[in-house]
Amino acid sequence: MTEPIQNEEYISAITDTALPNNWSVTRNDRFTVFIPGDGVVGDTVRAHVVKRKKGFAYGEIIEIIEPSPFRTDPPCPHFGICGGCIFQNLQYEKQLEIKKNYLMHSIKSIGGVDISHISMEPAVSSPDMYGYRNKMEFSFGENQGQLVLGMRERSSPFKRFSMQVFPIEQCLIFSERTSIIVSIIMKFLTERNYAAYNVFKRTGFLRNLLVREGKNTGDLMVALVTCAGDIPDIEQVYRSLKDAIPALRSFYWIINEKPANAVIIDDVKALYGDEYIEEELNGLRFRVYPETFFQPNSRGAELLYSAIAEWANVTPDSNVLGLYCGAGAIELSIARSVKSVLGIDSHPVNIETAHRNCEVNGITNCTFLAGRVEDVLKTVDTKDYQYIILDPPRGGLTPKAVRYICRYKVPQILYVSCNPSTLSRDLNLLYAEQYRIQRIKPFDLFPHTGHLETLVLLAKEEI
């Protein structure tokens, strides 16, 4: 426990969770105190202030005086250490309520948008509470001189993020196959004395293990991410995995020479099996490669894409722009209802995959272009398109992108967001261009985490 500030002990109910972090919101007699950790909304706690800031403070729980009625037992043995899930100890209905309130607060406080006259639609629950993720990136590290494979620890305002990796045997939000994969990979690597890469010292070899799984097809991809070097008998680990999991369809070796703590691909080697796995969404088949952007919750994505098709006010004569299209899942989902679709994405691999996905599904009215949205839209005639669908990364839209998008003066825009903060900022910019919210619906594609997907329908207001 961190050393408390003298005479700063207090008793408070936890009234909220400050997303996207796992910080419980309490209050002493002077200011709001955020408490990192596993407190739950509705807990009454004895706590102390540890670190003061201007206008607020950070604290720690000394004891839970009265547990919340919303508390539940977390099923994962790694909960509380892992930086992934923050809500496994909270009833799911309360998770949805907190996320929805966070979305509404962000739109009002960051976006400056009055939504009091807009009825936010009920949040769509994930079809699966656990085992929903189709992609995981595990990290290699060292613990007391021993190689470990797992997840990085939670960040804390009390200490510098050390990027410490703690070992895992399973990941409940990913796949039941996790324990088999981890066991085989670790046996192979520890027997050969490979060392984990150290971000601070820039030494070592092993970096990450990337695993992708088709939730509706069962296909499995495993990719070992290392620095440049050699693994003479790597086929052996592939054979062991294939024997244990016959659905293993693709095995890669990825080289990452960048110093950053992220899966950055410098060189891709498709060693065994196919170069891709396949996933099926709403009757369409999609090829997925190591670099492909694809919604991490396959069955939740089916609900989201069905809602997009329902909300989009398009006709067989409509020409649609799909911006930040990834591998084209949204574009292919509406292609048979419109005349044409143009998808734009900055990553050439996504564009190449989108073209292949069109071929696989026999879709001929989609075109895809690689490049930054801000650059490509300079060359696209504004008169040619009547509808725009946006699905940007977590950073949202740039002001320049908003200006180019608004030049088209389309009657309606559909915005798919994975970040309430940047969505709210962008709504402020779109409101300045006379676009107004017509419908808004949260989709919980990330149960037990602080993340939320949101679908917003905006219409151009006539002046």
Side-chain angles (χ1 to χ4, degrees):
M1 185 175 290
T2 306
E3 188 68 24
I5 297 174
Q6 192 173 7
N7 300 323
E8 289 284 359
E9 188 175 307
Y10 66 99
I11 295 175
S12 173
I14 296 176
T15 58
D16 200 356
T17 301
L19 295 178
N21 299 297
N22 63 317
W23 296 348
S24 299
V25 179
T26 65
R27 186 169 182 84
N28 66 8
D29 58 356
R30 286 179 294 165
F31 40 67
T32 297
V33 183
F34 297 107
I35 302 180
D38 302 325
V40 165
V41 169
D43 282 345
T44 299
V45 301
R46 184 187 309 277
H48 63 249
V49 173
V50 174
K51 187 177 182 180
R52 291 182 190 167
K53 306 290 281 188
K54 186 175 181 179
F56 67 95
Y58 294 110
E60 281 185 335
I61 294 173
I62 300 172
E63 65 171 319
I64 298 174
I65 298 173
E66 184 175 349
S68 168
F70 307 115
R71 267 191 175 272
T72 187
D73 293 329
C76 180
H78 310 301
F79 180 73
I81 304 172
C82 176
C85 296
I86 64 171
F87 280 145
Q88 284 192 18
N89 60 347
L90 181 65
Q91 292 177 5
Y92 186 64
E93 292 74 15
K94 199 65 176 178
Q95 295 182 33
L96 294 180
E97 179 185 325
I98 290 171
K99 291 183 181 184
K100 186 174 179 179
N101 290 341
Y102 170 55
L103 173 62
M104 295 174 67
H105 177 75
S106 297
I107 293 173
K108 182 178 179 181
S109 61
I110 299 174
V113 175
D114 179 13
I115 58 172
S116 59
H117 63 291
I118 301 168
S119 178
M120 185 178 293
E121 300 183 27
V124 177
S125 302
S126 172
D128 303 303
M129 296 299 100
Y130 290 94
Y132 61 85
R133 283 195 66 92
N134 57 39
K135 176 186 177 184
M136 285 296 294
E137 295 174 358
F138 301 106
S139 298
F140 288 100
E142 289 189 3
N143 188 343
Q144 297 181 346
Q146 299 296 313
L147 180 70
V148 296
L149 175 60
M151 301 292 290
R152 300 207 181 271
E153 65 179 353
R154 286 188 183 182
S155 61
S156 169
F158 300 139
K159 63 178 182 178
R160 180 184 176 187
F161 184 46
S162 66
M163 292 191 282
Q164 181 71 33
V165 176
F166 66 91
I168 66 163
E169 296 81 35
Q170 59 182 321
C171 179
L172 297 186
I173 64 172
F174 177 50
S175 174
E176 294 179 350
R177 295 165 167 170
T178 303
S179 59
I180 300 173
I181 297 168
V182 169
S183 175
I184 291 173
I185 291 288
M186 285 300 292
K187 182 177 186 297
F188 174 82
L189 295 173
T190 52
E191 286 177 351
R192 288 153 182 81
N193 295 317
Y194 289 109
Y197 179 76
N198 186 301
V199 176
F200 302 110
K201 298 179 181 178
R202 300 187 182 180
T203 59
F205 180 62
L206 301 171
R207 304 197 64 153
N208 301 95
L209 185 70
L210 168 65
V211 188
R212 306 193 79 147
E213 182 180 57
K215 295 300 178 180
N216 295 321
T217 63
D219 284 0
L220 183 69
M221 173 187 291
V222 175
L224 185 63
V225 185
T226 73
C227 298
D230 191 23
I231 308 178
D233 47 356
I234 194 171
E235 184 177 358
Q236 182 176 327
V237 72
Y238 165 73
R239 296 298 174 194
S240 297
L241 286 167
K242 185 69 173 176
D243 289 344
I245 309 174
L248 177 62
R249 183 170 177 176
S250 180
F251 186 85
Y252 274 84
W253 182 11
I254 296 172
I255 306 300
N256 175 12
E257 287 288 84
K258 299 292 190 300
N261 175 38
V263 179
I264 300 172
I265 298 174
D266 290 326
D267 186 23
V268 182
K269 300 178 181 181
L271 297 183
Y272 308 105
D274 295 329
E275 293 183 351
Y276 57 86
I277 62 171
E278 289 187 307
E279 180 62 300
E280 184 173 310
L281 301 179
N282 293 332
L284 296 169
R285 291 188 77 84
F286 296 91
R287 291 185 177 181
V288 180
Y289 298 81
E291 311 99 312
T292 303
F293 170 76
F294 202 76
Q295 273 287 356
N297 184 332
S298 296
R299 297 188 184 112
E302 291 182 300
L303 301 179
L304 174 62
Y305 297 160
S306 295
I308 290 172
E310 175 193 340
W311 287 20
N313 186 23
V314 294
T315 71
D317 295 323
S318 297
N319 297 306
V320 178
L321 269 177
L323 306 183
Y324 313 93
C325 65
I330 293 176
E331 289 67 28
L332 270 67
S333 296
I334 65 165
R336 293 194 171 106
S337 301
V338 301
K339 182 178 180 180
S340 73
V341 182
L342 172 61
I344 301 172
D345 195 274
S346 61
H347 297 285
V349 171
N350 282 333
I351 296 302
E352 184 179 351
T353 305
H355 280 127
R356 291 176 181 173
N357 287 333
C358 284
E359 294 172 5
V360 168
N361 292 282
I363 292 174
T364 59
N365 63 335
C366 287
T367 304
F368 296 94
L369 297 176
R372 295 174 67 247
V373 164
E374 298 90 329
D375 298 329
V376 177
L377 289 186
K378 294 178 184 177
T379 66
V380 179
D381 195 326
T382 58
K383 299 176 183 177
D384 291 343
Y385 295 90
Q386 298 81 45
Y387 209 90
I388 293 177
I389 300 175
L390 308 172
D391 188 12
R394 289 189 60 78
L397 307 173
T398 67
K400 189 175 181 180
V402 173
R403 290 196 298 272
Y404 277 108
I405 289 165
C406 292
R407 282 175 49 202
Y408 286 81
K409 298 181 180 179
V410 295
Q412 291 186 331
I413 294 174
L414 268 175
Y415 191 139
V416 182
S417 169
C418 60
N419 186 337
S421 296
T422 55
L423 167 65
S424 302
R425 179 203 65 201
D426 295 343
L427 288 175
N428 179 274
L429 298 176
L430 291 166
Y431 259 61
E433 299 291 340
Q434 307 306 313
Y435 281 95
R436 300 291 182 262
I437 297 174
Q438 302 299 302
R439 299 179 71 176
I440 182 166
K441 181 188 283 285
F443 286 77
D444 186 31
L445 303 190
F446 312 98
H448 314 299
T449 78
H451 302 296
L452 181 69
E453 203 84 5
T454 308
L455 179 62
V456 182
L457 174 64
L458 297 118
K460 182 78 170 175
E461 186 176 69
E462 298 297 331
I463 301 177

